[in-house]
Amino acid sequence: MGNVNGADAPQRGQLEALKALYALQEKDLEIDRLQKEAESLPEELLAVKAQVEALERELGDLLERQAELRKAYTRHSLDIEDLTAKEKQAEAEQRQAQNAREQTQYENRIQQIKDRIKELLELSTPIMEAMEEVEAQIAQVEEGLAGLRPRLEALLQENTLRVEALKVEIQRLQEEREAMAQGIPTPVLKEYEAIRRARKGTGIVRMLRQGQVFRCEGCNVVLPTHVAQKVVQGQLTRCPSCGRLLWKGEG
Ligand SMILES: [Zn+2]
């Protein structure tokens, strides 16, 4: 392995560029980390949000049920009003009856109406009971929501501030990153960025010495001598296994 540090003079400029690229990648990874942090919501916020959403769904269902019950109750009430009017009319007519047969006919008719009214009143009772129950449930859910909503608002506010602070930090890091990029040749930077996209974050890795062998920091493969040699010289070299750019490192 001694000939790795061979006769060829290392390409100083290129080595400096790779060193700068490695430092720039650290900045990129920090930016990635902060962006991920900005996108993820705190656990308490998620939990309270889920609770509020569940209660809102429950309230929606209860209001729908309440509307259905009110509709049924109104329908029965109108029917009862209508029948009561008919009963009054039959009673008035009964008073004008000419004979006993007519009297009896009106009596029967009045009795039929009374029975129907009684039936409707009996049907209305469970509806009223159900309405009361639904109202109590609505009040309970609304109370729950009233207790949770201010907490959710506060957590959302807190989160907005947290994300804003992270964005300021990301902006600052991005400016630093842009300044660092000035010192790196554009083709090298472009290659790095393409690899980084394909390799989920890392486009450049160090070559690690381990006894007599050199390994790729990215995929841990043992690098062939001729590859290691190029890396030491500062040639733009990619790991034959993972494809990342290799930098010889500080050692
Ligand atoms: Zn590799």
Side-chain angles (χ1 to χ4, degrees):
M1 251 3 239
N3 65 344
V4 162
N5 298 304
D8 292 343
Q11 302 176 13
R12 288 277 162 226
Q14 187 83 287
L15 277 171
E16 284 307 307
L18 290 170
K19 182 182 171 180
L21 185 60
Y22 193 83
L24 176 137
Q25 174 169 274
E26 277 173 353
K27 202 65 70 173
D28 274 341
L29 292 172
E30 176 71 357
I31 291 168
D32 288 351
R33 194 182 64 72
L34 293 182
Q35 257 159 358
K36 213 175 149 198
E37 204 180 307
E39 282 160 20
S40 67
L41 293 175
E43 253 171 52
E44 194 190 357
L45 173 56
L46 284 173
V48 174
K49 196 164 164 269
Q51 270 177 293
V52 166
E53 280 166 1
L55 284 176
E56 277 170 348
R57 271 195 302 276
E58 201 182 333
L59 182 62
D61 290 347
L62 286 169
L63 289 172
E64 209 171 288
R65 173 101 181 100
Q66 189 184 44
E68 276 167 19
L69 289 167
R70 276 185 178 157
K71 223 165 107 184
Y73 184 78
T74 305
R75 203 171 51 233
H76 281 143
S77 298
L78 288 174
D79 285 351
I80 291 168
E81 252 175 59
D82 189 41
L83 287 166
T84 308
K86 280 182 176 148
E87 186 191 347
K88 285 215 169 73
Q89 202 197 340
E91 279 164 358
E93 282 169 6
Q94 189 190 31
R95 283 194 289 275
Q96 311 287 318
Q98 303 296 315
N99 52 49
R101 208 182 111 246
E102 264 186 41
Q103 277 279 353
T104 312
Q105 273 176 351
Y106 281 119
E107 234 162 70
N108 288 342
R109 180 159 162 64
I110 289 162
Q111 193 53 50
Q112 270 177 11
I113 294 170
K114 279 189 198 295
D115 289 348
R116 181 64 189 140
I117 288 172
K118 195 170 162 242
E119 214 177 282
L120 284 173
L121 283 171
E122 275 166 8
L123 284 172
S124 293
T125 307
I127 294 176
M128 277 175 71
E129 281 167 5
M131 275 168 74
E132 275 167 23
E133 199 180 312
V134 166
E135 260 165 44
Q137 284 172 328
I138 287 172
Q140 204 180 352
V141 171
E142 276 174 345
E143 200 187 316
L145 278 171
L148 280 175
R149 273 181 180 139
R151 183 79 196 118
L152 180 60
E153 279 307 310
L155 287 169
L156 284 169
Q157 187 83 13
E158 212 172 276
N159 189 55
T160 304
L161 294 175
R162 181 188 72 91
V163 171
E164 272 167 14
L166 281 170
K167 277 183 181 163
V168 169
E169 178 65 359
I170 289 167
Q171 181 65 32
R172 190 183 67 76
L173 289 171
Q174 258 158 356
E175 279 161 18
E176 281 178 16
R177 193 248 186 226
E178 289 321 308
M180 289 165 92
Q182 299 297 314
I184 300 163
T186 309
V188 176
L189 208 55
K190 284 216 150 72
E191 195 169 349
Y192 155 77
E193 278 161 4
I195 301 166
R196 202 171 104 81
R197 272 195 299 276
R199 290 276 158 195
K200 291 189 168 72
T202 44
I204 184 166
V205 287
R206 286 174 302 185
M207 185 171 76
L208 303 175
R209 183 170 199 145
Q210 206 175 54
Q212 287 306 297
V213 298
F214 289 93
R215 286 185 187 274
C216 164
E217 182 187 33
C219 68
N220 210 35
V221 81
V222 172
L223 297 164
T225 307
H226 72 278
V227 172
Q229 218 161 7
K230 280 188 194 170
V231 175
V232 167
Q233 283 165 4
Q235 290 186 41
L236 201 62
T237 314
R238 292 172 68 159
C239 167
S241 175
C242 70
R244 293 182 178 99
L245 290 171
L246 288 162
W247 171 48
K248 76 174 187 64
E250 299 280 17

